[in-house]
Amino acid sequence: MSNSPITDVTSRNFVCNVGASAVGGKCPVRAGGVVTVEMHQQPNDRNCRNEAIGGAHWGPVQVYLGKVADASTADAASAEWFKIFSSAWAKKPGGSSGDDDHWGTRDLNACCGRMDVPIPADLADGDYLLRAEALALHAMPGQFYMSCYQITVAGGSGTARPATVRFPGAYASNDAGIRANIHAPLSSYQAPGPAVYAGGTTKAPGQGCAGCASTCQVGSSPSAVAPGSGSAPPGGGGGGGGGSGGCSVQAYGQCGGNGYSGCTKCGEGFTCRDVSPPYYSQCQPGA
């Protein structure tokens, strides 16, 4: 996955980032549960001493879902998306400019790149793509950083009928939320894109860390594999238990190191190797 900022909202790269493509694994998620999204600006850097989205890159964090037939093979550009979560902006008393205010990306930094995202209880069961997007407004137009995740939802009521959008297409380059000047005082801010649908969650930033975003060990969630290949049962997502039973770490994911309590078994064709001993081990090609 590239960590290059995307500024062209009409680009194919705006869907899931540069060169993104589907992989074989899917994360089982329970409708009404919580997925903890983790985002960092540098590949393979999950060190909590480093800012997740550094350089005063303040802006909103938003999450979309797109229903697909098979998340492991779906073309994200053909998905129809609806917004389930937004943590955008809140005025901080005494601040002299928008740089001083509360932002979704500021919360990401405070929580080591993690953000708890409630999964609506009224979803239909089945496969979805989850698209997490961080917008940095330090420059104009804003810079987008996004990642897509493959999930399988179970236990939903199936009553959700949200309006959908396409990526690219949902945003325009002149949207006020993309061209906001955060270096001046802000009296309001509207994040780009559609509203969060009725079953989703709008969270005011600046409330600190809670749930898995506060307590889960970085990298502790098992990487599920596709159904039929030994996937874990549906669960809350985010900070699941560690060890190697019932999980496997995907290519170049963390599999060991001081303080690591996550899955230690690499996927087929990969071996857990020390990269920066004793702090970090990674699944790399080879037996």
Side-chain angles (χ1 to χ4, degrees):
M1 179 68 70
S2 170
N3 66 337
S4 299
I6 308 299
T7 57
D8 182 0
V9 298
T10 67
S11 166
R12 171 65 171 79
N13 294 328
F14 192 70
V15 187
C16 291
N17 214 314
V18 179
S21 60
V23 297
K26 304 175 189 178
C27 181
V29 174
R30 181 168 49 250
V34 175
V35 166
T36 300
V37 171
E38 185 178 342
M39 303 177 73
H40 299 269
Q41 65 181 6
Q42 298 299 334
N44 300 320
D45 181 4
R46 304 170 82 177
N47 190 326
C48 294
R49 291 190 295 269
N50 300 330
E51 287 188 318
I53 308 292
H57 283 32
W58 312 133
V61 174
Q62 305 195 97
V63 178
Y64 292 80
L65 286 181
K67 186 79 168 65
V68 294
D70 184 347
S72 66
T73 60
D75 177 10
S78 65
E80 297 184 354
W81 303 89
F82 55 98
K83 190 184 294 184
I84 67 164
F85 179 85
S86 180
S87 179
W89 169 87
K91 186 68 176 177
K92 183 176 182 180
S96 60
S97 72
D99 290 287
D100 300 324
D101 291 338
H102 300 296
W103 292 97
T105 57
R106 195 185 291 272
D107 283 359
L108 275 180
N109 285 348
C111 302
C112 193
R114 301 184 295 261
M115 185 162 288
D116 289 341
V117 178
I119 300 300
D122 59 357
L123 294 179
D125 289 355
D127 281 12
Y128 291 81
L129 297 178
L130 184 151
R131 178 182 181 274
E133 166 195 291
L135 170 57
L137 293 167
H138 66 295
M140 194 179 301
Q143 298 177 348
F144 288 90
Y145 301 83
M146 69 284 291
S147 296
C148 290
Y149 306 83
Q150 299 165 186
I151 66 173
T152 300
V153 173
S157 69
T159 59
R161 298 293 184 272
T164 59
V165 297
R166 290 288 186 96
F167 289 113
Y171 296 1
S173 59
N174 60 349
D175 285 349
I178 299 175
R179 305 194 69 87
N181 178 11
I182 66 170
H183 307 306
L186 292 177
S187 58
S188 64
Y189 174 78
Q190 179 64 50
V196 174
Y197 97 98
T201 301
T202 300
K203 177 186 177 183
Q207 300 179 36
C209 308
C212 183
S214 174
T215 63
C216 289
Q217 188 76 21
V218 170
S220 62
S221 178
S223 298
V225 295
S229 303
S231 61
S244 58
C247 70
S248 63
V249 181
Q250 296 180 9
Y252 303 105
Q254 185 176 7
C255 56
N258 280 1
Y260 177 73
S261 60
C263 184
T264 57
K265 180 182 177 181
C266 296
E268 185 176 355
F270 288 79
T271 298
C272 188
R273 303 184 188 279
D274 290 337
V275 174
S276 180
Y279 306 104
Y280 185 82
S281 301
Q282 183 185 73
C283 285
Q284 297 186 351

